[in-house]
């Protein structure tokens, strides 16, 4: 096991298929309505590692799949993700993502909502084109679950009543659901058996949980430059993530009063952020969050052991370490 | 042909199935995340005539369909429509719809965007449950086309360069696409032939066009009370609808300067609205818009003539007159 991990082996193995995904993204995000390709191209060139569609490519290819349905489903997965980002930025009123201005900052909330809807529609058309009702079932369920998780997060926002269990349910819905679905549709179209399908679902779920836990840890420091968002974004938005829950639980009365004021009453200026980081350090809350991510990493590795050994499985193993290593 | 028309015969014929639709709406809009049923129930009790799901019920039942897939697809259609309304109100910053406060006014833009996404996801799950790839194809295409039309409308907003052809393309996408799809999935699941499927698609398209034309005419007067929105909403939002295009084309230089100032520069206070209505009357622009709706009504009737005669067809004929009669 590599400590830092790398996404390179997976990037290399999926390179040809991902080129096809990128072409399909540009073609299916095309429209005579110029604003649509304009915004879509902006998001596509924003890059990101395309972890989710790579999971679909890998989880089909590991079973020797030969065809192009995995490219279509991977594109659908990326469209679902992009639509979610567009809507999330509107909901969170975010101005920056991956070190660039968000679409809503440039083109406004209106276009972001509608182009997100368009991409979601195109995602479903691609799934229908593939014609697998089982894959459609998995991905349409994910679409509902993701939105449900986002509403839940909105309802729980700014409340220190949020428990670790609430938090886990939210990130399982808003992040892990797409990871697990992206990984599950590969074995479906490749004709793998139920055990392998379940193993990929579990791998994706655990990887997604680890990924989000690390993301939430990074929001309070770590290698923030690589994250491309500003340290303290979650704090300023009053999001109750695991580091905050742990610092609240592990703190004294004065700490708890601080967190309630910060999260529930919005006392979250730069001085408050500095104080928050000090309290997180004293209670080892970020460390414990990363430890939690490591436990999910172990779960992902256990799930992988059910799958065929070889370069694909090795690459998927490296991705686990990579997701966690972002913060080490 | 009745001049005023009525939706009563269709309401009566579809009553049992629509009760099932209403139950399914409440059940599928349920969630442990309280905000979701809260908003969904608010929208459901807002009523509206449920014209779109009734088209699905009717277009299956006319072929003697016995089963419950038409109820599921009708529910999916209504969810797609509701999701569109939720997002539209955010995009248009509307505070009132059907004489009630909009969801975004009460729960905010964030919840409206996310609950819309959730309902769209639930719509697709219902379609997957039905398992007809042909119906999925029709409705997923509609989802993309509707969003594309909305983006187009956004791009064309506040521009007097908008032509009648542009306008027709926008309303065909944003309104008629769901009417035609709702009417097309009935014959699909009922196993009707291609000719009947096409006839229902054409009927829905023409009915949707007539419906939107009348809606846009009503925005400048007519029986505004029955519309439940305020006269002049489109005017204040700078929407270039057919009445405006016709008044611009049929007006003199001074008229054209007025419309450019109103639409493009936002000079749209109450005095401007009164002046706009006077100019619309002088150029018979609202009358001509209704005349256009009547032509679509004739197309809808021609399409109906391809379908089996009987009480269902008679009821669908009455709906045409009803849609147009709203303004007479």
């Amino acid at each position: 096991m590599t400590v830092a991990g790398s996404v390179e082996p997976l990037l290399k193995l999926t390179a040809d298929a991902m080129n096809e995904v990128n072409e399909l993204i540009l073609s299916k995000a095309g429209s005579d309505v110029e604003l649509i390709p304009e915004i879509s191209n902006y998001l596509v060139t924003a890059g990101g590692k395309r972890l989710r569609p790579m999971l679909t490519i890998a989880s089909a290819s590991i079973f020797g799949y030969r065809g192009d349905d995995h490219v279509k489903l991977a594109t659908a997965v990326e469209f679902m993700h992009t639509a979610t980002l567009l809507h999330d930025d509107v909901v969170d009123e975010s101005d920056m993502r991956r070190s660039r201005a968000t679409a809503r900052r440039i083109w406004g909330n209106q276009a972001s909502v509608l182009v997100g809807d368009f991409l979601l529609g195109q995602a479903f058309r691609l799934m229908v084109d593939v014609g697998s009702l089982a894959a459609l079932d998995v991905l349409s369920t994910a679409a509902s679950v993701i939105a449900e998780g986002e509403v839940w997060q909105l309802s729980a926002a700014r409340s220190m009543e949020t428990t670790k269990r609430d938090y886990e349910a939210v990130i399982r819905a808003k992040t892990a659901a797409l990871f697990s679905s992206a990984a599950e549709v590969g074995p479906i179209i490749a004709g793998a058996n139920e055990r392998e399908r379940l193993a990929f679902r579990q791998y994706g779920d655990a990887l997604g949980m680890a990924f989000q836990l690390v993301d939430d840890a990074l929001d309070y420091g770590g290698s923030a430059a690589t994250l491309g968002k500003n340290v303290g974004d979650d704090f300023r938005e009053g999001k109750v993530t695991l580091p905050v829950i742990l610092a609240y639980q592990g703190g004294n009365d004065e700490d708890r009063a601080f967190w309630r004021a910060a999260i529930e009453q919005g006392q979250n200026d730069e001085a408050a952020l500095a104080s928050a980081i000090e309290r997180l350090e004293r209670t080892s809350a970020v460390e414990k969050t990363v430890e939690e991510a490591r436990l999910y990493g172990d779960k992902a590795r256990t799930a992988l052991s059910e799958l065929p050994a070889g370069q694909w499985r090795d690459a998927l193993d490296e991705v686990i370490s990579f997701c966690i290593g972002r913060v080490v």
Side-chain angles (χ1 to χ4, degrees), chain A:
Chain A
M1 174 185 145
T2 322
V3 174
S6 168
V7 76
E8 286 305 321
L10 188 63
L11 278 169
K12 210 167 166 183
L13 284 171
T14 60
D16 287 347
M18 286 303 292
N19 277 339
E20 292 179 49
V21 169
N22 289 337
E23 277 170 34
L24 197 56
I25 285 175
L26 289 173
S27 129
K28 295 293 176 183
S31 166
D32 292 336
V33 184
E34 289 167 22
L35 199 54
I36 291 176
E38 201 175 318
I39 295 182
S40 301
N41 288 344
Y42 180 78
L43 296 168
V44 165
T45 57
K49 278 168 297 295
R50 302 261 165 86
L51 210 45
R52 295 161 189 80
M54 281 200 291
L55 290 182
T56 302
I57 298 298
S59 65
S61 303
I62 196 172
F63 300 110
Y65 176 78
R66 296 264 175 279
D68 57 6
D69 284 347
H70 64 336
V71 168
K72 289 177 189 166
L73 291 178
T75 303
V77 163
E78 185 65 9
F79 277 171
M80 285 176 68
H81 178 53
T82 309
T84 306
L85 294 187
L86 278 166
H87 288 184
D88 272 7
D89 286 339
V90 171
V91 168
D92 293 342
E93 300 178 354
S94 306
D95 290 329
M96 296 292 286
R97 180 180 289 276
R98 293 181 188 146
S99 309
R100 300 209 310 174
T102 55
R104 73 154 211 121
R105 174 82 179 277
I106 303 176
W107 290 278
N109 284 340
Q110 302 173 315
S112 294
V113 169
L114 297 175
V115 173
D117 289 348
F118 174 75
L119 293 177
L120 200 57
Q122 292 296 80
F124 277 101
R125 291 179 75 180
L126 281 162
M127 296 172 214
V128 171
D129 191 25
V130 168
S132 158
L133 282 167
L136 267 159
D137 187 22
V138 166
L139 289 169
S140 62
T141 302
S144 279
V145 167
I146 292 166
E148 199 173 19
E150 304 268 1
V151 181
W152 193 343
Q153 179 169 268
L154 188 66
S155 310
R158 304 196 172 279
S159 164
M160 285 311 305
E161 299 297 308
T162 311
T163 63
K164 185 184 170 200
R165 183 185 284 239
D166 294 334
Y167 166 81
E168 282 173 343
V170 165
I171 69 168
R172 173 155 276 125
K174 75 165 197 161
T175 304
L178 192 54
F179 275 79
S180 61
S181 302
E184 189 177 358
V185 293
I188 288 174
I189 56 165
N193 63 38
E194 274 301 310
R195 191 180 51 80
E196 291 162 329
R197 177 177 162 175
L198 181 64
F200 257 121
R201 176 159 196 88
Q202 289 170 337
Y203 167 79
D205 173 74
L207 185 70
M209 294 297 285
F211 182 90
Q212 188 61 54
L213 282 158
V214 168
D215 223 51
D216 291 343
L218 282 170
D219 197 73
Y220 288 102
S223 33
T226 58
L227 188 69
K229 64 177 188 180
N230 304 314
V231 169
D233 276 352
D234 292 345
F235 184 71
R236 279 183 289 268
E237 288 167 17
K239 279 191 184 160
V240 184
T241 57
L242 190 59
V244 172
I245 293 169
L246 296 175
Y248 183 78
Q249 287 174 350
N252 54 36
D253 285 352
E254 197 273 325
D255 283 318
R256 280 188 284 278
F258 167 83
W259 288 111
R260 276 196 299 270
I263 299 291
E264 298 182 346
Q265 279 117 52
Q267 295 178 22
N268 53 20
D269 60 12
E270 285 308 295
L273 177 58
S275 172
I277 289 172
E278 182 274 319
R279 288 165 207 272
L280 289 158
E281 274 169 15
R282 178 160 43 75
T283 52
S284 308
V286 173
E287 246 172 270
K288 287 178 189 162
T289 300
V290 176
E291 188 46 45
E292 191 78 13
R294 281 204 192 87
L295 292 177
Y296 278 107
D298 293 342
K299 283 186 192 173
R301 231 165 246 119
T302 304
L304 268 191
S305 69
E306 298 283 319
L307 295 164
Q311 56 180 358
W312 284 102
R313 196 175 80 175
D314 293 345
L316 290 167
D317 192 286
E318 282 268 348
V319 168
I320 303 170
S321 311
F322 166 78
C323 281
I324 296 163
R326 294 189 301 160
V327 80
V328 179

